[in-house]
Amino acid sequence: MVKNFNGQRLRQARLYNGLSINDLAEILGVTKQAISQYETQNVTPEFEKMRILTEKLKFPSSYFFQKDIYDVNTKTTYFRALLSANKNARLQQQVKLKHLAIIYQVLSKYLEFPNLNIPKFKYDDKLDFEQIALDLRNYWDIGEKPIDNISHLLEKNGIIVASYPVNQNNIDAYSQKLKVEGNDRYIIVLSNDKNLATRSNFDAAHELGHILLHDWNIDIEELPREDFKQQEREANYFAAAFLLPKNAFLRDVSLYPRDLKYYIELKKKWKVSISAMLIRANRLGVLTDNQYQYLMKQMAINNWRKREPLDNVLIKQEPILLNKSIEILMQNNIFNPQEFMDELAENQLSMKPEEVEMLLNLDKGTLSIEQKNESIASIIKIRDI
């Protein structure tokens, strides 16, 4: 059966790579109009153009002849630093997340992941971030102790966490809601470009704040600028309250609140940046505004605003649920690499192994498909004498 070229697949692959129509036209040596015809009228590129597409866009040729990637997204994707990230950069991450979501759905056919365990608290119109953070900690039975591995905590409670290069300085993390087999799921993607443990911890808590506090049925692109900034502030307030619970953190920070060296010790315990702890101490009233401003100036003088003490010491805790899923399937002989890639293709997602490895944060080569030579012993027999 002859398969037709799918222009929407070309558009998805272009966006996946962060390319504009102009960019792709230059790569192929064709006009913008030609690219538009490929994408909107399903005009099949010539063989040589197709070869370049598969090489530059990092997708096998079969990808461009499959059905459309169905819409797994709701209207909203919450981005850290959305206001400073251009639209193409946001679209690139949304398309990557679509591909990741389909991979997750394939894995869900064979593995039972933790159910979503997010409480539905009822509060008055005015949000009390301290209470919400404390209620969630109690609901998850973690008390007021430091959170050593927030990725594991989220995964344990049914939130999908991924970590891969975002390749955008102004996007640290993002989250999205989707449905899998009729059930709500949330995916949080953490950029591993910067590889800072404290930054990743706060990003994860910030996205958790969006999950708990905000509407997932709106089009965030249409929000007024001030409304968006308010949602970002609310997610930050929640993240600080969740990572640094009020009573326990007050007991610690009140001992030497104006000594920057003391905050280095607190950073070891709470796995939160010194800057964030100073903001939290000021918000809790332990530091006056003048004291806070003085300490922030000292941070700048010490050149700690860009690189704090312990940034190269604290180990970033990576999410493990997705990559361990592949390990479990292979160890139990459910799939070998070739069979897993074939399964994705059967679900309309032909991809190159290295791209799947990137999305799942797998070690390079985990899904490499090696053609095993047929054993010589199987075709040469010893004669009976």
Side-chain angles (χ1 to χ4, degrees), residues 12-74:
Q12 294 290 319
R14 172 173 63 77
L15 293 174
Y16 184 100
N17 286 274
L19 299 175
S20 67
I21 288 179
N22 281 346
D23 295 331
L24 190 55
E26 288 184 12
I27 289 172
L28 288 184
V30 298
T31 64
K32 292 187 298 180
Q33 290 74 15
I35 300 298
S36 293
Q37 286 184 329
Y38 293 157
E39 292 188 355
T40 62
Q41 299 178 31
N42 297 328
V43 174
T44 306
E46 298 171 356
F47 173 77
E48 181 59 21
K49 304 299 184 189
M50 198 71 219
R51 185 191 64 78
I52 296 172
L53 282 176
T54 59
E55 177 187 340
K56 298 297 184 181
L57 299 184
K58 298 175 288 188
F59 283 94
S61 59
S62 55
Y63 176 89
F64 301 97
F65 294 85
Q66 292 176 318
K67 296 177 183 178
D68 292 347
I69 297 177
Y70 60 89
D71 187 7
V72 295
N73 303 333
T74 56

Side-chain angles (χ1 to χ4, degrees), residues 192-199 260 264 267 273-275 298-316:
N192 63 11
D193 298 319
K194 302 172 185 71
N195 208 33
L196 293 178
T198 55
R199 188 166 185 166
L260 273 184
I264 298 175
K267 184 173 178 176
S273 71
I274 295 173
S275 294
Q298 293 302 305
M299 290 274 290
I301 291 170
N302 292 340
N303 206 26
W304 288 5
R305 296 299 295 272
K306 292 184 177 180
R307 199 74 174 177
E308 291 185 2
L310 302 181
D311 276 352
N312 60 345
V313 174
L314 294 178
I315 298 174
K316 178 184 172 185

Side-chain angles (χ1 to χ4, degrees), residues 230-287:
Q230 177 60 25
Q231 287 193 343
E232 286 297 287
R233 285 192 290 269
E234 290 171 356
N236 280 336
Y237 294 154
F238 168 82
F242 185 66
L243 293 174
L244 301 167
K246 181 177 179 179
N247 293 332
F249 182 65
L250 275 175
R251 285 194 296 270
D252 282 352
V253 75
S254 296
L255 295 177
Y256 305 99
R258 296 181 296 279
D259 188 339
L260 273 184
K261 291 183 178 178
Y262 178 57
Y263 283 87
I264 298 175
E265 296 304 310
L266 292 182
K267 184 173 178 176
K268 293 178 186 176
K269 176 178 180 179
W270 290 102
K271 310 296 190 297
V272 175
S273 71
I274 295 173
S275 294
M277 286 190 287
L278 290 175
I279 294 171
R280 179 76 167 142
N282 174 238
R283 188 170 173 78
L284 291 175
V286 180
L287 292 175

